[in-house]
Amino acid sequence: MNLVGASICDEEMLVQGEARDIQLPNTEHVSQISVDVGGSLAKVVYFSRKAGTKGGRLNFRKFETEKIDECIAFISRLLDESRAHAPEREFVIKATGGGAHLYYEKFRDRLKVKIDREDEMECLITGLNFLITEIPFEVFTYSETNPMCFEETPDDPFPYMLVNIGSGVSILKVTSANTFERISGTSLGGGTLWGLLSLLTGAKTFDEMLEASQEGDNKNVDMLVGDIYGTDYSKIGLKSTTIASSMGKVFKKNADKRQFKPEDISRSLLYMVSNNIGQIAYLNAQAHGLSRIYFGGCFIRGHPITMNTLSYAINFWSKGSMKALFLRHEGYLGAVGAFMKHHTSRRNSRSFSLTEQLAQKLAATEPADLEVTLAQDTLDVVAAEESD
């Protein structure tokens, strides 16, 4: 897969709510499909071509995991379309996430293709590394005054911390393309918010819940510093609008529970979960000496309130020394990583194969043999470019 000229498509999206396609103008065909099946959502990444355009593109789709049959049916249609154009090709599904194990037999029996299960954490890091280093205008910071400030591609992206927010939260410390460890996590993630709002509001989908939160006012249900002090508590840096107790106004004597609007509850709980994740992320980054914190996972979905809350938390607690970083394909890290696990993708990817291999070779090579090693690596690069 040739990544030269890769870019995010800026045309109008055919499926609203999905991540934008990634254009690969120098890649003609890639036969694999990947799927990342989490506790709440199943994410699919696949390659397609569009008539009249050069190369092809990576496409992104998501499905609720409880409707996994819809996801499998969608992949089956993709396979049928691919077989019509290339009947001689052998197709492989790269699967990751817990659902790669839970639904393995169902995928295998329904799709009639080979299913390769890939490690979830490895796929997350591979996917994030790919997006950070290969895709321009992918990473950005967020604030109310500057909603989308794109980051330059770093010369050396390591070390960094990934906070992946799905049904739960995993926090990973990454020190190289192949070296990482899970250093923390929490069970209070997207699934928590989804579950509580399902019980307390009439919203049926996570997107409905996020939309409701935009119309809500959390001060109607949260107890603020101003409700306790009547003003700021400036001595310790707390504004009157700071949340002292999430949902703290609900538990009051003689309070009519019907007065609390679903929109206000949605905003309060979104703040509660996001603030909690932001503080846990900061504490882990501080403990491990990390300043770059990437937030991924379908919990975020480009939602302004969520991103602003996480950014504010990191900036506030770190006094501006750390940076909250977001991605335009934040929900597809695992699926992208699984896609890149296909052997041809890894062999031809400039960032994740040849440079990794060279670094490993040089580390294990005697000084007298360095010239031979470098020469051979140059031949590998040429061969990869020719095969593209």
Side-chain angles (χ1 to χ4, degrees), residues 275-336:
N275 276 322
N276 184 62
I277 293 171
Q279 186 166 21
I280 292 173
Y282 158 72
L283 291 171
N284 277 278
Q286 181 190 49
H288 291 269
L290 302 170
S291 60
R292 282 180 289 191
I293 306 172
Y294 291 92
F295 288 92
C298 280
F299 172 79
I300 301 172
R301 301 197 188 193
H303 190 245
I305 296 174
T306 305
M307 292 189 293
N308 190 62
T309 304
L310 292 169
S311 292
Y312 181 84
I314 296 300
N315 185 68
F316 176 83
W317 291 110
S318 73
K319 296 180 172 59
S321 65
M322 297 177 188
K323 187 180 290 188
L325 300 167
F326 302 96
L327 302 112
R328 297 172 74 180
H329 296 86
E330 78 276 279
Y332 291 90
L333 304 185
V336 169

Side-chain angles (χ1 to χ4, degrees), residues 29-102:
H29 187 78
V30 182
S31 60
Q32 75 264 27
I33 299 169
S34 68
V35 58
D36 174 14
V37 187
S40 303
L41 295 170
K43 290 77 67 177
V44 179
V45 174
Y46 61 99
F47 184 86
S48 70
R49 298 189 63 189
K50 187 176 181 180
T53 61
K54 182 182 178 183
R57 58 179 62 190
L58 291 183
N59 308 97
F60 306 85
R61 287 291 300 273
K62 63 178 180 289
F63 303 84
E64 292 183 16
T65 301
E66 66 178 19
K67 300 176 182 177
I68 195 65
D69 288 335
E70 292 182 8
C71 175
I72 294 174
F74 177 77
I75 294 175
S76 180
R77 291 194 295 273
L78 293 178
L79 289 170
D80 289 343
E81 293 172 5
S82 296
R83 289 187 182 108
H85 293 93
E88 75 287 352
R89 289 185 181 273
E90 178 182 357
F91 293 92
V92 175
I93 303 295
K94 292 290 187 178
T96 190
H101 303 274
L102 182 61

Side-chain angles (χ1 to χ4, degrees), residues 135-202:
I135 307 301
F137 304 106
E138 172 68 33
V139 179
F140 62 94
T141 57
Y142 185 92
S143 69
E144 288 182 322
T145 56
N146 196 353
M148 203 176 221
C149 182
F150 290 106
E151 291 281 297
E152 295 289 336
T153 301
D155 293 329
D156 182 7
F158 309 107
Y160 66 77
M161 192 172 82
L162 168 63
V163 182
N164 193 61
I165 315 171
S167 300
V169 182
S170 284
I171 300 179
L172 301 156
K173 175 184 177 181
V174 184
T175 52
S176 76
N178 297 309
T179 308
F180 65 89
E181 61 176 317
R182 187 181 188 274
I183 55 176
S184 188
T186 173
S187 62
L188 304 182
T192 307
L193 181 64
W194 196 341
L196 289 174
L197 291 180
S198 295
L199 290 172
L200 299 174
T201 73

Side-chain angles (χ1 to χ4, degrees), residues 200 221 250 254-265:
L200 299 174
V221 293
V250 176
N254 303 319
D256 183 356
K257 304 302 185 290
R258 290 173 296 180
Q259 70 178 302
F260 301 112
K261 297 179 181 179
E263 293 83 1
D264 299 339
I265 294 172

